[in-house]
Amino acid sequence: MAAHTNRMEYDLLLVGGSPSNLALAYHFLDLAKESGKEFSIAILEKSKEFGAHIMSGAVSKPHVLEKIWPNYKELNFPIEAVCDKSEFSVLGVHKKWDMPHLYPKSFDKTGYLVLTLSYVTVWMANQVQEKAKEVSNVTVDLFTGFSAHKVVFEDGRAVGVCVSETPTSDDDYVFSKFTCFGDKGFISRDVIEHYQLRDCPQIWSIGIKEVWQCKENYAGKVWHTLGWPLLDGTFGGGFVYGMKDNKLTIGLVISLDSRDPNLNPQYKLQEYKKHPWIQSMIQGGKLLKYGAAVLPEGGYYSLPKRFAVPGAILLGDALGVLDVKNLAGIDRAMECGYVAAEVLHEALLHQDYSEAALAPYQRRLTDCFVVKESYHNRYFRYAFMENPRLLGEYLPSIANSIDKSNPWLGMLKLVCQHPIRAPLDVLRALLLIEGKVNIGPLKYKIDCKNIVPDFVPPKYDEPPYDKSTIYSRPDAVFYASTRYHEGNHHIDEFNADVCVRCIAKYDALGKTTPCVSDCTAEVHRIDIINEEKRHGMSLENCIHCRTCEVVCPEINLRVNATSQGSGPDFMGL
């Protein structure tokens, strides 16, 4: 590319106002205060304010938080509740079974913090700004409403990003000695692809969530569930978290490697809410917020070969440190930021801008809980991929027994029907889940390659429910508070003719395309133009989850970062 002579350049450029990057910024300020050296930091956040594009469950262990902010309680860290009751439950269509505490210990969240991650992000950004006032030798610039649209590479090094969709001058670029990517793949994927860092593809799930105002108080109560409405072999589960002020988080995490081409996650969440147990909590209540976001769930084998490259470092979701078995990502993301701050401070202190100066980042993450636990849990997802009977046959059978008799009798019946196969299947899965066997490296198929176009999901009689508690997809979008600037075009369709052929293929099967069905916000549609069915988009509805891109069977879509602060408003999610 052309040389830039009038650069806006920082020592550190943090792409994404994520917990990983904000933890990095705060800890770096602590270190810089001690060293007394002069530094400059810029943080780019694509939403209109910090936290507005952040969504998570969230229940988190505060061990890293305590390390960065030992006095976080005195600093009014936003806690919704402390978990005092943690259950792992299996849902039939009508009833719920709270399992005895024989399940993996990682599912017990007693003592963990129940959080609203958007509020946590706002708090962290405020802490960075307050800390910056104390550290006069560091300049910190926070830019909201600015997205990274392109990574700039020069002489094999990542040197910054372009902050305009149509750059015309040096003012459209931000350069840095080190760029830190803490985004959810919108731009960091280009770093991974440029340096060919990933041998095993990342796989994704979609987290979809509502927050309700209820009549009763459930603060501190945490449920994670299997079963209804995911009884078709799809990996995933539900969560219900009680928060202060009679608020309740209700959500599903659904893996996007499902065979079902018409999964429709938003509809699945409504099905989940129809369960009598959830109905008993939300009847007479009020929906406050709705949102969705993809989660990287490939784990250990989907981690990049290098966590840092010349001029850049990957953190949090950009790195892919979410641990599905532990239901944990926030603490891992913050640990990435904590370690990165120390490595980057040392490099800048010695004016060492080499890739070798960043090598301790990967070594330290590998030696701590972030990668160690990921390695231990490396076969958790594969255990269910290897044997589809676990979720496609055994789980529905147990769910049925919960409704009709007793789960223990249901399990006994399974063993009687399959006296050798069922116990061996379960034993094999447990050995994989607990990391007791080593079958070598994995290489996943990308999610969309698991779709079976003519898949027919099982049908179940719905339980009775209050219709006022159920929302259509167009109605749900209202509660995501989407706002876009005029001329917005943040989703690329690479070839319109490819979409025409995809529509025809699924139309012949009596289905719609995965992008239309699985969109969480009524963006994708099928238009008839000159008697031909073509793909259209209502981009003003988009909540920026990237599901369409992941499930597109033809790999013909890309969701890019929005501009000018456009997108959903997830504050409160």
Side-chain angles (χ1 to χ4, degrees), residues 541-558:
N541 292 333
C542 184
I543 61 174
H544 228 207
C545 71
R546 290 185 58 215
T547 302
C548 59
E549 174 188 319
V550 175
V551 302
C552 174
E554 307 299 331
I555 315 176
N556 198 40
L557 298 171
R558 171 166 171 155

Side-chain angles (χ1 to χ4, degrees), residues 213-224:
Q213 185 79 52
C214 299
K215 287 186 171 182
E216 295 186 28
N217 176 35
Y218 300 98
K221 307 299 182 284
V222 168
W223 292 271
H224 293 102

Side-chain angles (χ1 to χ4, degrees), residues 6 23 29 37 44 128 208 221 224 227-228 233 241 281 291 294 335 365 367 376 383 386 389 439 470 495 497 531:
N6 187 27
L29 285 167
K37 299 294 184 181
L44 301 181
V128 168
I208 189 160
K221 307 299 182 284
H224 293 102
W228 175 261
Y241 301 154
M281 293 187 281
V294 290
E335 181 71 8
L365 286 182
D367 290 341
H376 180 77
E386 180 189 67
R389 288 192 293 268
I439 59 173
I470 305 303
N495 188 323
D497 291 335
E531 299 183 355

Side-chain angles (χ1 to χ4, degrees), residues 175-235:
F175 294 91
S176 64
K177 294 182 176 68
F178 293 112
T179 305
C180 307
F181 293 92
D183 61 301
K184 203 178 280 285
F186 290 101
I187 192 69
S188 55
R189 73 180 104 179
D190 294 339
V191 176
I192 290 170
E193 290 172 6
H194 183 85
Y195 292 101
Q196 298 181 337
L197 299 181
R198 192 169 269 144
D199 289 333
C200 177
Q202 185 59 269
I203 57 174
W204 301 89
S205 60
I206 179 66
I208 189 160
K209 166 182 169 180
E210 293 179 359
V211 174
W212 278 73
Q213 185 79 52
C214 299
K215 287 186 171 182
E216 295 186 28
N217 176 35
Y218 300 98
K221 307 299 182 284
V222 168
W223 292 271
H224 293 102
T225 70
L226 282 177
W228 175 261
L230 300 177
L231 294 171
D232 62 354
T234 297
F235 182 88

